Amino acid sequence: MSPRKIRLSTTPTQEALDDLQLGDIVYLDGLMYTAREGVYKRALEEKANIPMELPRDSAANFHCSPAARINADGSFEMGAVTATASFRFSKWLPEWMEKSGAKLIIGKGGMSSKDYKSYFVPNGAIYLSTVGYGTGALLGRGVENVEAVHWNEELGLAQAMWVIRCKEMGPFIVASDKHGDCLFERENAKISQNFDKIYEGTRPATLKRYGETDDRSDEVI
Amino acid sequence: MIPIDIIQKTAETLMDKAAIEIPQDYLDGLQAAADVEDGDLSSFVLQAMLENYEAAKEDRRAMCGDTGTPRWYVKMGNDTRIEGGPIALEAALRRATANATNGVPLRPNRVHPLWRTDHNNNVGIGAPEIEYGYEPGGEWIDLITVHKGGLFGTDYRMLFPSDGIEGIRRFYLDSLIAFGKRGLACQPAIIGIGLGGCKDTCMVLGKRAACLRTVGSENSDPKIAQLEREFKELGNSIGMGAMGFVGKSMVVDCNIEVGYCHTGGMQMSVHAFCLSSRRAVARVFPDGRVEYRTDPDWFTDYQRRETVEWDAPAMEAAE
């Protein structure tokens, strides 16, 4: 069975968001902005003014830094676009969502169902994952225009806030739904059933490591 | 004497090729994985990847937005001479890295670990890495660039002889599953395993096994080659595919490299070279001729030698 394909606005209606099911394939139209460590730190910890009107202009936060350059004349060249792993940003996201009104969080690998249930669902937000994590060229084709880059001086090209106009940009996979269920956790649960069999006849390491336990009274042998 | 401007120009072309063109051996391996994959979501992901490689080549844009951490492996013959010497060579490779970062463009991934300073060109302290190897005979230089992803899929464990193959198998599975969930390792990947050496050389061996050997290559030790085949199959029978979805495509190939280690230990490292296995190679000759290829051909008999002396005459006869 091939997955369902859906076109979605980056300022989506709640109805369109509620309709999304785990594993649906989504293509996006409209403005999206990139935000990762640098942007969250600057906006939330250093209380800098967010240089966009959110969520009016865009409700789509992409955990991404593109392979791009700023030309001497101030224009932009954006080649490939790929997401970075989102789990590292969960400490900032609840506050960011409140402040930005983001409805679509787009990134790599999703978050936990605990994240989804505690602040995605109450905000009516959905998580979209990029596909394979290497489809940078396909996503790059979905960039109709690079509208702006904010905080490049302060954060550098890789951490700056890029504003991208996208047209049928995709594919993305719906990785959380309106109930806060998690696609990756669903898949993990299925795969885990094979683990006993696959591990049969292997040996646990003789030497343990600190860092794998938080109990400092443990010995490593 | 190899002209330095040709080295720099070739290096810039290699940066471009590595970022944009998926090597044929990896593409064939992924196509084979796609042919047998029957998980709905995993199959969709693999098809999207195959389309992505085409799009990258057609548009001449990087295949992945995270263009990794560019590095260089340089190999020379015993009689190679470079215009300006090794300092000029390193300057040329740093210039090529910076120019291509702006030119392709690549993502300027490299920053200071503490101050997060970004020169926007992938050049900084210790970056790009430049590693060297030598071969008996020859006046050529091989330039190999690898843009491996930098965050997930690599791990190290100190094993002991008593842990045996069962311990190796356990750590292999632990690494694949830990980083395979949610597809953090961007699998299916070329899995490189380093066994032995010291901790640093063990990591180096595993990384080179992943990045400098092609899909379909085998270790010259038949028993290690057997282990490679076994481990490829083991990885693909976990039940996990691309992005950590249910499937059977985790490992495009498994390459193992070994080094002599402490008598009491059996160091092991595991490395995953991802869906965007970016590598490109060129050999530059003193007359300025350049031959491009995708097989680094790093692990020659000479690189794996285990004797005190190297039998030079036999080598020449083989050539």
Side-chain angles (χ1 to χ4, degrees), chain A residues 175-218:
Chain A
S176 81
D177 62 13
K178 65 176 172 186
H179 308 295
D181 289 333
C182 172
L183 174 67
F184 292 106
E185 289 175 14
R186 185 190 81 184
E187 296 290 297
N188 284 345
K190 289 185 204 163
I191 294 164
S192 308
Q193 293 168 4
N194 305 330
F195 288 167
D196 284 349
K197 187 164 151 266
I198 199 98
Y199 270 83
E200 221 166 84
T202 67
R203 277 176 64 92
T206 307
L207 184 74
K208 304 285 187 300
R209 281 191 298 192
Y210 272 16
E212 293 166 357
T213 167
D214 283 329
D215 182 355
R216 303 298 169 206
S217 64
D218 273 359

Short mmCIF file of all heavy atoms in Angstrom, two decimals, chain A residues 175-218:
data_model
loop_
_atom_site.label_atom_id
_atom_site.label_comp_id
_atom_site.label_asym_id
_atom_site.label_seq_id
_atom_site.Cartn_x
_atom_site.Cartn_y
_atom_site.Cartn_z
N ALA A 175 4.78 12.61 11.27
CA ALA A 175 5.36 11.77 12.31
C ALA A 175 4.67 11.95 13.66
O ALA A 175 5.01 11.27 14.62
CB ALA A 175 6.86 12.04 12.44
N SER A 176 3.72 12.89 13.76
CA SER A 176 2.86 12.95 14.95
C SER A 176 1.46 13.31 14.48
O SER A 176 1.30 13.89 13.42
CB SER A 176 3.36 14.00 15.95
OG SER A 176 2.94 15.30 15.58
N ASP A 177 0.45 12.96 15.29
CA ASP A 177 -0.91 13.29 14.88
C ASP A 177 -1.61 14.07 15.98
O ASP A 177 -1.01 14.41 17.00
CB ASP A 177 -1.69 12.03 14.48
CG ASP A 177 -1.83 11.05 15.64
OD1 ASP A 177 -1.55 11.45 16.80
OD2 ASP A 177 -2.21 9.90 15.41
N LYS A 178 -2.91 14.34 15.77
CA LYS A 178 -3.63 15.20 16.72
C LYS A 178 -3.76 14.57 18.11
O LYS A 178 -4.06 15.26 19.07
CB LYS A 178 -5.01 15.55 16.16
CG LYS A 178 -5.95 14.37 16.00
CD LYS A 178 -7.32 14.83 15.54
CE LYS A 178 -8.16 13.61 15.20
NZ LYS A 178 -9.45 13.97 14.63
N HIS A 179 -3.54 13.24 18.20
CA HIS A 179 -3.58 12.59 19.51
C HIS A 179 -2.22 12.62 20.21
O HIS A 179 -2.10 12.20 21.35
CB HIS A 179 -4.03 11.14 19.37
CG HIS A 179 -5.29 10.98 18.58
ND1 HIS A 179 -6.50 11.47 19.01
CD2 HIS A 179 -5.54 10.40 17.38
CE1 HIS A 179 -7.43 11.19 18.11
NE2 HIS A 179 -6.88 10.55 17.11
N GLY A 180 -1.20 13.04 19.49
CA GLY A 180 0.15 13.02 20.05
C GLY A 180 0.84 11.67 19.91
O GLY A 180 1.83 11.40 20.57
N ASP A 181 0.30 10.83 19.03
CA ASP A 181 0.97 9.55 18.78
C ASP A 181 2.20 9.78 17.90
O ASP A 181 2.25 10.73 17.12
CB ASP A 181 0.01 8.56 18.10
CG ASP A 181 -1.06 8.08 19.07
OD1 ASP A 181 -0.78 8.06 20.29
OD2 ASP A 181 -2.17 7.75 18.61
N CYS A 182 3.18 8.89 18.05
CA CYS A 182 4.49 9.09 17.42
C CYS A 182 4.76 7.96 16.42
O CYS A 182 4.77 6.78 16.80
CB CYS A 182 5.56 9.12 18.50
SG CYS A 182 7.24 9.11 17.86
N LEU A 183 4.98 8.34 15.16
CA LEU A 183 5.25 7.35 14.11
C LEU A 183 6.47 6.49 14.45
O LEU A 183 6.46 5.27 14.30
CB LEU A 183 5.46 8.07 12.77
CG LEU A 183 5.89 7.19 11.59
CD1 LEU A 183 4.77 6.25 11.18
CD2 LEU A 183 6.30 8.06 10.40
N PHE A 184 7.54 7.15 14.90
CA PHE A 184 8.78 6.40 15.14
C PHE A 184 8.63 5.44 16.31
O PHE A 184 9.16 4.32 16.28
CB PHE A 184 9.94 7.37 15.38
CG PHE A 184 10.32 8.14 14.16
CD1 PHE A 184 9.99 9.48 14.03
CD2 PHE A 184 10.99 7.53 13.12
CE1 PHE A 184 10.33 10.20 12.90
CE2 PHE A 184 11.34 8.23 11.97
CZ PHE A 184 11.00 9.58 11.86
N GLU A 185 7.90 5.84 17.33
CA GLU A 185 7.70 4.94 18.47
C GLU A 185 6.84 3.74 18.04
O GLU A 185 7.07 2.61 18.49
CB GLU A 185 7.07 5.69 19.64
CG GLU A 185 8.07 6.64 20.28
CD GLU A 185 7.47 7.51 21.40
OE1 GLU A 185 6.37 7.22 21.87
OE2 GLU A 185 8.14 8.50 21.77
N ARG A 186 5.88 4.00 17.15
CA ARG A 186 5.06 2.89 16.65
C ARG A 186 5.96 1.89 15.90
O ARG A 186 5.86 0.67 16.11
CB ARG A 186 4.00 3.45 15.69
CG ARG A 186 3.01 2.41 15.21
CD ARG A 186 2.14 2.96 14.08
NE ARG A 186 2.84 2.92 12.80
CZ ARG A 186 2.34 3.40 11.66
NH1 ARG A 186 1.16 4.01 11.66
NH2 ARG A 186 3.03 3.31 10.54
N GLU A 187 6.85 2.39 15.07
CA GLU A 187 7.74 1.51 14.30
C GLU A 187 8.72 0.79 15.23
O GLU A 187 8.99 -0.39 15.08
CB GLU A 187 8.50 2.32 13.25
CG GLU A 187 7.61 2.93 12.19
CD GLU A 187 7.00 1.89 11.25
OE1 GLU A 187 7.76 1.22 10.53
OE2 GLU A 187 5.76 1.75 11.23
N ASN A 188 9.27 1.54 16.21
CA ASN A 188 10.20 0.93 17.17
C ASN A 188 9.56 -0.25 17.88
O ASN A 188 10.19 -1.29 18.08
CB ASN A 188 10.62 1.95 18.24
CG ASN A 188 11.62 2.97 17.71
OD1 ASN A 188 12.21 2.76 16.66
ND2 ASN A 188 11.80 4.06 18.44
N ALA A 189 8.29 -0.08 18.27
CA ALA A 189 7.61 -1.14 19.02
C ALA A 189 7.50 -2.40 18.17
O ALA A 189 7.70 -3.52 18.67
CB ALA A 189 6.23 -0.65 19.45
N LYS A 190 7.25 -2.21 16.89
CA LYS A 190 7.15 -3.40 16.01
C LYS A 190 8.51 -4.07 15.87
O LYS A 190 8.63 -5.29 15.94
CB LYS A 190 6.66 -2.98 14.61
CG LYS A 190 5.20 -2.56 14.55
CD LYS A 190 4.83 -2.30 13.08
CE LYS A 190 3.65 -1.35 12.99
NZ LYS A 190 3.50 -0.77 11.64
N ILE A 191 9.55 -3.25 15.67
CA ILE A 191 10.88 -3.81 15.41
C ILE A 191 11.45 -4.48 16.66
O ILE A 191 12.12 -5.52 16.58
CB ILE A 191 11.82 -2.70 14.88
CG1 ILE A 191 11.35 -2.21 13.52
CG2 ILE A 191 13.26 -3.20 14.79
CD1 ILE A 191 11.94 -0.88 13.08
N SER A 192 11.15 -3.92 17.83
CA SER A 192 11.71 -4.46 19.08
C SER A 192 11.36 -5.92 19.29
O SER A 192 12.07 -6.64 19.99
CB SER A 192 11.19 -3.68 20.29
OG SER A 192 11.38 -2.32 20.10
N GLN A 193 10.27 -6.34 18.70
CA GLN A 193 9.87 -7.74 18.90
C GLN A 193 10.90 -8.71 18.35
O GLN A 193 10.94 -9.87 18.75
CB GLN A 193 8.50 -7.98 18.23
CG GLN A 193 7.38 -7.21 18.93
CD GLN A 193 6.09 -7.20 18.12
OE1 GLN A 193 6.01 -7.81 17.06
NE2 GLN A 193 5.09 -6.48 18.63
N ASN A 194 11.73 -8.26 17.42
CA ASN A 194 12.76 -9.16 16.85
C ASN A 194 14.03 -9.22 17.68
O ASN A 194 14.91 -10.03 17.42
CB ASN A 194 13.19 -8.66 15.45
CG ASN A 194 12.02 -8.50 14.51
OD1 ASN A 194 11.04 -9.23 14.63
ND2 ASN A 194 12.12 -7.55 13.59
N PHE A 195 14.17 -8.31 18.66
CA PHE A 195 15.48 -8.14 19.29
C PHE A 195 16.00 -9.39 20.00
O PHE A 195 17.16 -9.74 19.87
CB PHE A 195 15.47 -6.95 20.26
CG PHE A 195 15.41 -5.62 19.56
CD1 PHE A 195 15.12 -4.47 20.27
CD2 PHE A 195 15.64 -5.50 18.20
CE1 PHE A 195 15.07 -3.22 19.63
CE2 PHE A 195 15.58 -4.27 17.55
CZ PHE A 195 15.30 -3.13 18.28
N ASP A 196 15.13 -10.07 20.75
CA ASP A 196 15.59 -11.26 21.48
C ASP A 196 16.22 -12.27 20.53
O ASP A 196 17.27 -12.83 20.80
CB ASP A 196 14.42 -11.91 22.24
CG ASP A 196 14.08 -11.11 23.50
OD1 ASP A 196 14.89 -10.21 23.84
OD2 ASP A 196 13.02 -11.36 24.10
N LYS A 197 15.55 -12.43 19.40
CA LYS A 197 16.02 -13.43 18.44
C LYS A 197 17.36 -12.99 17.84
O LYS A 197 18.30 -13.78 17.76
CB LYS A 197 14.96 -13.59 17.35
CG LYS A 197 15.23 -14.71 16.39
CD LYS A 197 13.96 -15.04 15.58
CE LYS A 197 14.31 -15.59 14.22
NZ LYS A 197 14.36 -14.56 13.17
N ILE A 198 17.43 -11.73 17.46
CA ILE A 198 18.64 -11.26 16.76
C ILE A 198 19.85 -11.22 17.71
O ILE A 198 20.99 -11.40 17.30
CB ILE A 198 18.38 -9.90 16.08
CG1 ILE A 198 19.41 -9.63 14.98
CG2 ILE A 198 18.38 -8.75 17.03
CD1 ILE A 198 18.93 -9.97 13.64
N TYR A 199 19.61 -11.01 18.99
CA TYR A 199 20.70 -10.92 19.97
C TYR A 199 21.14 -12.28 20.49
O TYR A 199 22.12 -12.38 21.23
CB TYR A 199 20.29 -10.03 21.15
CG TYR A 199 20.62 -8.57 20.94
CD1 TYR A 199 19.79 -7.74 20.23
CD2 TYR A 199 21.81 -8.02 21.44
CE1 TYR A 199 20.08 -6.41 20.02
CE2 TYR A 199 22.12 -6.69 21.25
CZ TYR A 199 21.24 -5.89 20.53
OH TYR A 199 21.56 -4.58 20.33
N GLU A 200 20.40 -13.31 20.12
CA GLU A 200 20.71 -14.65 20.62
C GLU A 200 22.17 -15.00 20.35
O GLU A 200 22.66 -14.84 19.24
CB GLU A 200 19.82 -15.67 19.89
CG GLU A 200 19.27 -16.76 20.77
CD GLU A 200 18.15 -17.49 20.06
OE1 GLU A 200 18.48 -18.41 19.29
OE2 GLU A 200 16.98 -17.09 20.25
N GLY A 201 22.88 -15.48 21.38
CA GLY A 201 24.26 -15.91 21.19
C GLY A 201 25.28 -14.79 21.25
O GLY A 201 26.47 -15.03 21.08
N THR A 202 24.84 -13.53 21.47
CA THR A 202 25.82 -12.46 21.61
C THR A 202 26.17 -12.29 23.09
O THR A 202 25.47 -12.81 23.95
CB THR A 202 25.28 -11.12 21.06
OG1 THR A 202 24.20 -10.68 21.88
CG2 THR A 202 24.80 -11.27 19.63
N ARG A 203 27.26 -11.57 23.35
CA ARG A 203 27.71 -11.38 24.73
C ARG A 203 27.69 -9.91 25.10
O ARG A 203 28.17 -9.08 24.34
CB ARG A 203 29.16 -11.86 24.88
CG ARG A 203 29.37 -13.33 25.10
CD ARG A 203 30.87 -13.58 25.12
NE ARG A 203 31.46 -12.89 26.27
CZ ARG A 203 31.62 -13.47 27.45
NH1 ARG A 203 31.27 -14.70 27.64
NH2 ARG A 203 32.17 -12.79 28.44
N PRO A 204 27.17 -9.59 26.30
CA PRO A 204 27.27 -8.20 26.77
C PRO A 204 28.73 -7.83 27.01
O PRO A 204 29.55 -8.72 27.28
CB PRO A 204 26.48 -8.19 28.07
CG PRO A 204 26.39 -9.62 28.51
CD PRO A 204 26.52 -10.47 27.28
N ALA A 205 29.08 -6.57 26.90
CA ALA A 205 30.46 -6.14 27.09
C ALA A 205 30.94 -6.47 28.50
O ALA A 205 30.19 -6.28 29.47
CB ALA A 205 30.58 -4.65 26.83
N THR A 206 32.16 -6.94 28.61
CA THR A 206 32.74 -7.25 29.92
C THR A 206 32.97 -5.95 30.71
O THR A 206 32.84 -5.91 31.92
CB THR A 206 34.07 -7.99 29.73
OG1 THR A 206 33.83 -9.10 28.85
CG2 THR A 206 34.63 -8.50 31.03
N LEU A 207 33.36 -4.91 29.97
CA LEU A 207 33.67 -3.63 30.60
C LEU A 207 32.54 -2.64 30.36
O LEU A 207 32.17 -2.40 29.22
CB LEU A 207 34.97 -3.08 30.00
CG LEU A 207 35.53 -1.79 30.60
CD1 LEU A 207 36.14 -2.05 31.97
CD2 LEU A 207 36.59 -1.20 29.68
N LYS A 208 32.01 -2.08 31.42
CA LYS A 208 30.96 -1.06 31.28
C LYS A 208 31.60 0.34 31.23
O LYS A 208 32.80 0.48 31.45
CB LYS A 208 29.99 -1.13 32.46
CG LYS A 208 29.37 -2.50 32.67
CD LYS A 208 28.29 -2.79 31.64
CE LYS A 208 27.54 -4.08 31.91
NZ LYS A 208 28.40 -5.29 31.93
N ARG A 209 30.78 1.34 30.98
CA ARG A 209 31.31 2.71 30.93
C ARG A 209 30.45 3.66 31.73
O ARG A 209 29.22 3.58 31.65
CB ARG A 209 31.34 3.20 29.48
CG ARG A 209 32.50 2.68 28.70
CD ARG A 209 32.63 3.40 27.38
NE ARG A 209 31.46 3.18 26.53
CZ ARG A 209 31.44 3.51 25.25
NH1 ARG A 209 32.49 4.06 24.71
NH2 ARG A 209 30.36 3.31 24.52
N TYR A 210 31.09 4.59 32.42
CA TYR A 210 30.34 5.68 33.01
C TYR A 210 29.74 6.49 31.85
O TYR A 210 30.33 6.59 30.80
CB TYR A 210 31.23 6.58 33.86
CG TYR A 210 31.36 6.12 35.29
CD1 TYR A 210 30.99 4.82 35.65
CD2 TYR A 210 31.83 6.96 36.28
CE1 TYR A 210 31.10 4.39 36.96
CE2 TYR A 210 31.95 6.55 37.59
CZ TYR A 210 31.57 5.26 37.93
OH TYR A 210 31.68 4.84 39.22
N GLY A 211 28.61 7.04 32.10
CA GLY A 211 27.92 7.72 31.02
C GLY A 211 26.76 6.88 30.56
O GLY A 211 25.73 7.37 30.13
N GLU A 212 26.91 5.53 30.71
CA GLU A 212 25.80 4.64 30.40
C GLU A 212 24.95 4.46 31.66
O GLU A 212 23.88 3.88 31.63
CB GLU A 212 26.33 3.29 29.92
CG GLU A 212 27.03 3.41 28.57
CD GLU A 212 27.85 2.19 28.19
OE1 GLU A 212 27.95 1.25 28.99
OE2 GLU A 212 28.41 2.20 27.08
N THR A 213 25.47 4.93 32.79
CA THR A 213 24.71 4.89 34.03
C THR A 213 24.92 6.22 34.74
O THR A 213 25.93 6.88 34.56
CB THR A 213 25.20 3.74 34.95
OG1 THR A 213 24.65 3.95 36.24
CG2 THR A 213 26.71 3.71 35.05
N ASP A 214 23.95 6.64 35.53
CA ASP A 214 24.13 7.86 36.30
C ASP A 214 24.46 7.55 37.75
O ASP A 214 24.60 8.44 38.58
CB ASP A 214 22.86 8.73 36.23
CG ASP A 214 22.78 9.46 34.90
OD1 ASP A 214 23.85 9.78 34.35
OD2 ASP A 214 21.67 9.69 34.43
N ASP A 215 24.54 6.27 38.08
CA ASP A 215 24.83 5.86 39.44
C ASP A 215 26.34 5.73 39.63
O ASP A 215 26.95 4.78 39.15
CB ASP A 215 24.14 4.52 39.73
CG ASP A 215 24.35 4.07 41.16
OD1 ASP A 215 25.11 4.74 41.90
OD2 ASP A 215 23.77 3.05 41.54
N ARG A 216 26.95 6.72 40.30
CA ARG A 216 28.42 6.73 40.44
C ARG A 216 28.93 5.69 41.41
O ARG A 216 30.14 5.53 41.56
CB ARG A 216 28.91 8.12 40.87
CG ARG A 216 28.49 9.24 39.95
CD ARG A 216 29.05 9.08 38.56
NE ARG A 216 28.40 10.03 37.66
CZ ARG A 216 28.28 9.86 36.35
NH1 ARG A 216 28.78 8.80 35.77
NH2 ARG A 216 27.67 10.75 35.61
N SER A 217 28.02 4.98 42.10
CA SER A 217 28.50 3.90 42.97
C SER A 217 28.70 2.63 42.15
O SER A 217 29.27 1.65 42.63
CB SER A 217 27.50 3.65 44.11
OG SER A 217 26.27 3.21 43.58
N ASP A 218 28.26 2.63 40.90
CA ASP A 218 28.47 1.47 40.03
C ASP A 218 29.95 1.27 39.75
O ASP A 218 30.72 2.22 39.70
CB ASP A 218 27.77 1.68 38.68
CG ASP A 218 26.32 1.24 38.72
OD1 ASP A 218 25.88 0.76 39.78
OD2 ASP A 218 25.64 1.40 37.70
#
